[in-house]
Amino acid sequence: MTQKDLKLSDIDTFDRERLLLIINITGIGVWDWKVQTGELTFNRQWAQMLGYEQEELKPRGFKAWLDNLHKDDFQRAQKALDDHFNGITQEYEAELRMRDKSGAYIWVLATGKVVEWHKGKPERMIGVHLNIDERNKNEESLLITSQLLNQSQKVAKVGGWELDLITGILFWTDETYRIHDTCPEEFNPTVDAGVGYFLPESKDRISKALDEAIQHGKGYDLELETYTTKGRKIDVRTTCVVTQENGASVRLTGIFQDISEQKATQRELEQINQNLEVANQALQRSAHYDPLTGLPNRYLLADRMQQAMVKSLRKKNYVAIAFIDVDSFKAVNDNYGHDVGDELLKKLAGELKHALRDGDTLSRIGGDEFVAVIDNLSYPHESDAVLSRMLCSVSAPVKADGHTLSVSASIGVTIFPLDSCDPDQLLRHADQAMYLAKQKGKNCYHVFDVENDVAVKHLNEKLARISMALHNEEFELYYQPKVDLRTQTVVGLEALIRWNHPERGLLFPIDFLPEIECDNLCIGVGQWVIRTALAQLHFWQTQGLDLSVSVNISPLHLQQGDFTAQLKTYLDKYPNYKANSLDLEVVESSALHDVEAVSAIIESCKALGVTFSIDDFGVGYSSLVYLKRLPVRYLKIDKSFVRDMLVDADDKAIIEGIIELAKVFKLSVIAEGIESKEHGEALLELGCHYVQGYYFAKPMPAEAFMPWLESRSTSK
Ligand code: C2E
Ligand code: MG
Ligand code: MG
């Protein structure tokens, strides 16, 4: 039976039932069209596909189809029908857009076939409508996605590739071709061709990586250099992931990215960094090293000395500071010229360095003056051997610019901490000893005599006198009020030491504190100050005054191992001690060398209810390290800034900066040294609320405070 002969009556009842079921389940729209009369009937599903009930469309018949057909699809439908009627196609088939009840268009696959002919003309046609909207939309979005992908690959210069290891076919995306300056019409990608374009070193790496991927399933991510098919050199990133089946690699997939621009920027940056590094090194060298000999200069020496001294205190051993002066060097310069002199100095520097031990520092601090730092000595005279070696090395004949020169050296030595003073002082002592070596006839060394040094003798006498003053209770604490500018009330007092000297009268801290700062005596004085201030605080509190008292603590005292324990014994005497009414003021100072340890001490004192202030902020170390690491509560602006703040814009700016800084670290600010009403007004405007200064009161004896306070309240 041919298709043309198919009759409806040929379909038996069994088939009809199934057909109906299928139509119901699948929602296929069925239509039946009398071609000559134009009468169109359709099933429920046909109408429902367009969102209508069958009854709604029924009266409109053929118009229900024609009216809802997208006008752009009419011609296509017409042609498909004509082709079928004219026998060109066996079936009518067209993808058409039909408008549904909501007004939106859906894609419909219309198929049909003429089932009755009359005199060669189509009489009746039966067909179906299938909803293919979903499928078409998917296809559409797939198309858009792939176009987008292509676009974004172009923008990002990222191509893709896939190698089927079974067929050996290598697939490149459009962008991969573009990166290679070619196109699919022009170039047939193969693994060998692709690898062949890489530069030699890159070729090795990619070949190995490909081998690994194929043999062991290991992916890669490489940055390589390659030529394009047109010979342009580019940087690329290529990655690979391996798909395996049954343990064997079957497919490699990856990206291929042009990273020439990034690489160029990276290289440029690397070059800049390198140049910076070189410049930085040169700067460092010129700042810290002597250009002639390459030895550390005076600045670096100070640092090395400081380090060696701290280490020696910790390890309880000795450091020798040797001041070396070349004897009769001036004569070499005068007789042979400066070039020969310079040459000699360079050679001597080498000889001296050779005579020292590894780790010792040799520095050139002036013309023919060198300083050696010989540390880690178990006993003071351990440096003798090194000193003798240095003398020998200098006195050996030296060849400079064709001349054989013989010189010698005089060395002065001082030993820390037998000679317990700061680096500058140590250098002066070594220098003094060097002069004595010269006086002794040169070519020898002389050790600084700590016991008999005049200055030291003098200092020792002073220390003994201060110690006696402590014993004889000649010290007294004066108190200076701290005022809250907003309320004009007194919030606390700072205790300041005075010496009632029997012969010299009232002495200020500047007259005696500097002498004891580096001596253990400052601990005894400091302990007396804390005890006295605490007793006074207790007294005022029993009188009903709600005040805090600040005490200045020297760095050496604070860093004593038993500082907190001592403080606790003093506080324990006052069971009613009000937490946070004792404040300890510490100056920023290089003497607080171990910030970590100081921070731990402060924390442990805080636990006892004692607060801390950084005193004289801005003039000392001014290191943010202190602010960041020390758990203090107050920041005291040094009086030198406050004094001139009304006339000096820089000082005012510094104060503003300190106030801002304090905000960042959540500290309260106290300005010291306010001498006028205007100072107070200006500070208040800047946001500094607490002050102390002569404007309110000079430091006064303890017994003068209550009367002063009373006179204030009566004068208000
Ligand atoms: P400081 O802790 O910064 O104390 C403030 C100093 O500024 C005090 O000097 C005070 O008299 C002075 N001062 C306060 N207001 C004004 C003002 O309006 N104008 C002027 N020109 N000066 C003002 P003082 O008492 O001579 O103390 C000097 C430094 O000695 C103190 O500075 C502190 O670092 C130290 N000091 C004082 N007492 C002790 C102490 O008991 N122990 C320790 N370790 N150091 C102390
Ligand atoms: Mg102070
Ligand atoms: Mg101060």
Side-chain angles (χ1 to χ4, degrees), residues 494 496 552 585 587 614-617 619 636-639 672-673 692:
E494 177 174 11
L496 296 156
N552 295 281
E585 298 191 1
V587 284
I614 294 185
D615 204 356
D616 300 350
F617 189 78
V619 286
K636 297 192 75 175
I637 306 178
D638 189 68
K639 56 178 177 294
E672 55 185 30
Q692 77 187 71

Side-chain angles (χ1 to χ4, degrees), residues 163-231:
L163 174 64
D164 186 328
L165 293 172
I166 312 292
T167 61
I169 292 173
L170 175 62
F171 169 79
W172 280 5
T173 65
D174 288 355
E175 186 56 22
T176 307
Y177 283 102
R178 269 194 295 271
I179 292 173
H180 283 89
D181 285 339
T182 185
C183 60
E185 294 74 34
E186 196 180 81
F187 185 76
N188 180 27
T190 62
V191 176
D192 286 347
V195 170
Y197 282 110
F198 283 100
L199 268 72
E201 197 222 357
S202 295
K203 197 183 290 180
D204 275 359
R205 290 174 61 202
I206 189 75
S207 303
K208 277 195 196 113
L210 275 170
D211 262 3
E212 281 279 294
I214 296 167
Q215 304 300 335
H216 307 295
K218 255 180 77 181
Y220 59 78
D221 185 342
L222 300 170
E223 291 189 357
L224 302 168
E225 289 177 304
T226 187
Y227 290 110
T228 68
T229 57
K230 305 284 185 294

Side-chain angles (χ1 to χ4, degrees), residues 661-682:
L661 213 56
K663 265 190 214 150
V664 174
F665 291 101
K666 299 195 171 53
L667 306 177
S668 295
V669 194
I670 303 174
E672 55 185 30
I674 74 156
E675 297 190 354
S676 73
K677 192 164 174 243
E678 288 72 29
H679 279 107
E681 285 165 357

Side-chain angles (χ1 to χ4, degrees), residues 3-11 16 19 30-43 62 81 84-85 90-92 111-128:
Q3 300 252 343
K4 216 173 176 178
D5 301 328
L6 182 76
K7 298 254 174 36
L8 282 177
S9 52
D10 294 338
I11 305 171
R16 257 174 219 242
L19 209 59
V30 180
W31 48 271
D32 188 338
W33 183 33
K34 302 277 168 32
V35 183
Q36 297 309 321
T37 62
E39 186 189 337
L40 178 75
T41 49
F42 38 78
N43 69 351
F62 183 67
L81 282 171
H84 181 50
F85 294 160
Q90 290 286 321
E91 276 172 359
Y92 152 75
T111 52
K113 196 173 171 70
V114 175
V115 287
E116 284 173 21
W117 298 84
H118 181 70
K119 293 182 180 167
K121 281 190 169 173
E123 189 71 21
R124 184 177 175 196
M125 194 175 171
I126 291 184
V128 296

Side-chain angles (χ1 to χ4, degrees), residues 538-559:
H538 174 70
F539 171 75
W540 280 326
Q541 284 178 346
T542 55
Q543 300 296 302
L545 295 180
D546 184 17
L547 292 167
S548 64
V549 165
S550 297
V551 165
N552 295 281
I553 295 294
S554 71
L556 187 65
H557 184 191
L558 181 69
Q559 290 172 103

Side-chain angles (χ1 to χ4, degrees), residues 243-425:
T243 308
Q244 289 197 310
E245 278 169 19
N246 303 325
S249 306
V250 292
R251 193 165 51 251
L252 310 184
T253 321
I255 62 160
F256 198 83
Q257 184 181 9
D258 183 349
I259 53 165
S260 305
E261 278 172 28
Q262 292 101 299
K263 275 282 168 189
T265 319
Q266 191 182 330
R267 283 187 196 114
E268 221 170 278
L269 266 175
E270 276 167 10
Q271 187 58 47
I272 292 172
N273 272 343
Q274 225 171 4
N275 293 350
L276 266 175
E277 185 61 23
V278 170
N280 201 18
Q281 275 173 7
L283 249 169
Q284 284 269 334
R285 286 204 75 74
S286 70
H288 293 120
Y289 293 90
D290 164 42
L292 178 69
T293 59
L295 293 175
N297 64 14
R298 192 180 271 276
Y299 299 105
L300 190 53
L301 170 69
D303 187 56
R304 297 273 169 91
M305 281 175 73
Q306 189 80 47
Q307 283 178 27
M309 288 157 74
V310 170
K311 206 164 83 187
S312 119
L313 289 178
R314 203 171 56 232
K315 292 194 165 179
K316 300 206 176 347
N317 60 22
Y318 303 88
V319 188
I321 309 296
F323 197 110
I324 305 138
D325 187 280
V326 182
D327 299 325
S328 329
F329 178 72
K330 192 169 169 296
V332 176
N333 262 347
D334 292 348
N335 294 337
Y336 302 97
H338 284 276
D339 287 349
V340 175
D342 284 353
E343 184 71 20
L344 174 66
L345 285 174
K346 276 201 266 186
K347 294 240 161 101
L348 290 181
E351 293 298 326
L352 284 169
K353 190 118 193 70
H354 193 64
L356 288 166
R357 307 158 314 166
D358 286 348
D360 290 339
T361 297
L362 180 68
S363 153
R364 177 170 177 245
I365 62 166
D368 59 346
E369 293 169 341
F370 297 86
V371 172
V373 182
I374 308 161
D375 64 353
N376 258 330
L377 302 170
S378 326
Y379 54 95
H381 284 291
E382 203 185 334
S383 61
D384 290 1
V386 182
L387 297 169
S388 303
R389 272 209 305 275
M390 287 203 287
L391 287 174
C392 276
S393 70
V394 175
S395 56
V398 174
K399 271 206 161 43
D401 207 20
H403 307 281
T404 304
L405 305 169
S406 277
V407 289
S408 62
S410 300
I411 305 179
V413 191
T414 191
I415 312 279
F416 178 86
L418 297 182
D419 185 5
S420 174
C421 48
D422 63 30
D424 278 350
Q425 193 69 22

Side-chain angles (χ1 to χ4, degrees), residues 437-572:
K438 290 235 187 234
Q439 279 172 12
K440 277 196 328 201
K442 300 180 180 169
N443 197 16
C444 65
Y445 65 83
H446 180 84
V447 183
F448 178 75
D449 187 344
V450 181
E451 295 301 320
N452 290 319
D453 175 60
V454 186
V456 172
K457 249 183 162 171
H458 191 59
L459 178 65
N460 284 341
E461 279 164 15
K462 277 189 176 168
L463 289 176
R465 181 64 191 87
I466 295 169
S467 175
M468 199 170 98
L470 186 61
H471 184 256
N472 292 349
E473 299 190 350
E474 290 169 10
F475 292 122
E476 181 180 357
L477 287 186
Y478 274 39
Y479 294 88
Q480 184 179 36
K482 295 185 201 170
V483 176
D484 184 338
L485 282 173
R486 294 164 298 185
T487 55
Q488 297 286 312
T489 49
V490 175
V491 290
L493 297 120
E494 177 174 11
L496 296 156
I497 197 168
R498 300 289 182 264
W499 183 359
N500 295 307
H501 198 285
E503 290 101 40
R504 297 164 62 200
L506 185 71
L507 297 184
F508 288 82
I510 187 71
D511 301 319
F512 55 95
L513 284 188
E515 266 93 51
I516 63 170
E517 207 153 286
C518 293
D519 193 277
N520 280 346
L521 191 51
C522 82
I523 299 164
V525 173
Q527 287 169 345
W528 174 85
V529 173
I530 298 178
R531 283 200 310 270
T532 312
L534 265 179
Q536 189 59 52
L537 174 69
H538 174 70
F539 171 75
W540 280 326
Q541 284 178 346
T542 55
Q543 300 296 302
L545 295 180
D546 184 17
L547 292 167
S548 64
V549 165
S550 297
V551 165
N552 295 281
I553 295 294
S554 71
L556 187 65
H557 184 191
L558 181 69
Q559 290 172 103
Q560 286 306 297
D562 63 347
F563 182 82
T564 315
Q566 275 281 359
L567 184 62
K568 186 168 180 324
T569 61
Y570 301 152
L571 287 169
D572 284 347

